Amino acid sequence: MQISLESTSGIERKLTITIPFADIDNEVKKRLQDLSRRVRLDGFRPGKVPMKVIKRRYGEGVRQEVLGEMMQSSFIESIQEQNLNPAGAPSVETLSDNDEGFTFVATFEIYPEIELNDFSSITVERPVADVQESDVDEMIETLRKQSITFADVDRAAETGDRITFDYDGTKDGESFEGGSEENSTLELGSGRMIPGFEDGLVGVSAGEERLLSLTFPEDYQAKDLAGQSVEFVCKVHKVAAPELPALNDEFFARFGVSEGGLEVFRTEVAKNMERELRQAVKNKVKNQVMDGLLKIHEVAVPAALTSQEIDRMREQAVKQFGGMKGGFDPRKLPAELFEADANKRVALGLLIGEVVKQRDINVDDERVRAMIEEMASAYLEPQQVIDWYYSNDEQLSQIKYVVLEEQVVDAILEAAQVSEQICSYQEAIRPAERAAETEEAEQGETS
């Protein structure tokens, strides 16, 4: 077997392999002879079929089978001999097939060699916050608002009230699609309807009819209505005011607190908030570390790995929106939607793997246990959750990988420039992108 290796780019390799004709021919003859002893053909006794008949009927198929197996085995032997680590399956092209041998070219990408740079240039701002009593008060009010009910009232509607009404929309005196509905419910101030609609119904009472003259926004999704003047005749049947639930045992029981009243409920709410705070801080630090890791390294990402990651992201997206149940094929989603994030994920995966290898990091089983117990503490039966993770190999493997990532983050933080940022609970748990947007808005207001 003859082998030649060519580096066509940083991570792309071309292997030209020639399998000698004699090797192929000998193996084909061997298989045909074996086949002649086993094959049954009309007109011939078992084991007595002439070889020329065997060759005519089975020769080409056997040769293709032999070539496929020899190509695979010779490729594996070649990459081992050349100490190559392919990042995906090769593309194969036949160059020649004659009396000298069979020559083919296998083109593939290898995993990049990564030289880790100094982590000291990575900067991280760690949020530092506490859960204050006022934060617990605000959270309890949020929980109450999420459990709000509405009761009919005999008064004019106010912002925040919910009305039950019929509406009939017309444009130039003609009804339009989607412009009418009976017994519709609408919370005034929710922003569900076009500008002016909800404001126009503030002050209306049950049994009243009101005419709204409005204009659809220029960027409205229905092009035939964008920027158009319309009228809505609205007839109100009911006005209902919001009622917050009382802080009583019935309310506490919805959140798993059956004894201890308000004091125990506040304690449980605070514990959940502290858990959320720890996770938010951990995520923000991790994201900064990962962004810093990418910033100080240039990684040649194999296309095959990016393609695999895109396929995973496609499936995740379809599952998230319930498309799997409907039989939607994830491959119909354009690859461009996921390409940038997929490249980033693959690059990070390669960098994390290199840190693990060079720092000889092994998964800390105690941290795995602690993480599972932390997650389980949010449930009514924590031990059942713990047992479930330890009996599910796939889920346990995912937790182990998360822990391994955290250990990599810790290793980088030892060398990185870390500062602390004193902030409120709300600022700490706010996602980084939203935090940046809020900061820009505040700067805009003061400028």
Side-chain angles (χ1 to χ4, degrees), residues 347-390:
L348 274 174
L350 293 171
L351 286 167
I352 290 170
E354 195 62 30
V355 175
V356 168
K357 183 173 72 175
Q358 292 195 23
R359 298 296 179 93
D360 194 23
I361 300 174
N362 295 303
V363 177
D364 186 335
D365 290 334
E366 290 185 6
R367 288 182 67 159
V368 172
R369 182 82 186 186
M371 178 174 287
I372 291 174
E373 290 177 349
E374 171 86 356
M375 293 187 298
S377 65
Y379 294 84
L380 293 177
E381 299 289 344
Q383 190 58 47
Q384 289 185 9
V385 178
I386 294 170
D387 293 343
W388 179 79
Y389 271 103
Y390 277 100

Side-chain angles (χ1 to χ4, degrees), residues 194-215:
I194 64 172
F197 193 104
E198 294 168 33
D199 290 340
L201 292 172
V202 171
V204 75
S205 300
E208 184 178 342
E209 189 174 286
R210 182 167 292 187
L211 176 65
L212 304 178
S213 297
L214 305 171
T215 302

Side-chain angles (χ1 to χ4, degrees), residues 19-35 59 62-63 65-70 73:
I19 306 171
F21 174 82
D23 291 353
I24 300 170
D25 192 51
N26 288 339
E27 183 62 25
V28 170
K29 287 178 179 178
K30 179 182 174 183
R31 296 195 186 187
L32 288 175
Q33 287 171 355
D34 180 62
L35 190 61
V62 168
R63 189 173 190 279
E65 180 183 279
V66 167
L67 275 177
E69 292 177 7
M70 283 190 161
S73 61

Side-chain angles (χ1 to χ4, degrees), residues 403-423:
V403 169
L404 189 65
E405 279 190 337
E406 288 187 357
Q407 291 176 247
V408 169
V409 169
D410 290 346
I412 295 171
L413 286 173
E414 290 177 4
Q417 302 175 47
V418 183
S419 60
E420 293 188 342
Q421 178 192 28
I422 306 298
C423 60

Side-chain angles (χ1 to χ4, degrees), residues 88-222:
S91 63
V92 177
E93 178 187 1
T94 300
L95 287 187
S96 62
D97 185 3
N98 50 44
D99 292 343
E100 294 181 3
F102 179 84
T103 302
F104 69 97
V105 176
T107 305
F108 55 95
E109 291 176 312
I110 60 171
Y111 281 90
E113 292 184 5
I114 298 174
E115 183 176 342
L116 293 177
N117 295 322
D118 187 1
F119 299 149
S120 63
S121 61
I122 296 176
T123 58
V124 175
E125 224 177 41
R126 189 196 306 273
V128 177
D130 293 314
V131 177
Q132 305 291 333
E133 288 298 313
S134 58
D135 296 321
V136 178
D137 291 338
E138 186 176 342
M139 179 58 71
I140 290 175
E141 281 306 296
T142 299
L143 294 174
R144 292 179 73 198
K145 288 175 182 177
Q146 290 173 352
S147 302
I148 206 167
T149 58
F150 287 87
D152 292 350
V153 292
D154 187 16
R155 60 165 173 77
E158 302 172 357
T159 299
D161 287 347
R162 186 170 68 188
I163 63 170
T164 303
F165 71 121
D166 304 334
Y167 63 90
D168 184 19
T170 56
K171 179 170 74 80
D172 299 328
E174 299 290 334
S175 297
F176 55 89
E177 185 177 355
S180 303
E181 189 175 345
E182 294 183 351
N183 289 316
S184 176
T185 58
L186 174 65
E187 188 174 328
L188 301 183
S190 64
R192 258 183 54 203
M193 308 299 275
I194 64 172
F197 193 104
E198 294 168 33
D199 290 340
L201 292 172
V202 171
V204 75
S205 300
E208 184 178 342
E209 189 174 286
R210 182 167 292 187
L211 176 65
L212 304 178
S213 297
L214 305 171
T215 302
F216 274 92
E218 294 290 344
D219 59 352
Y220 192 68
Q221 62 267 26

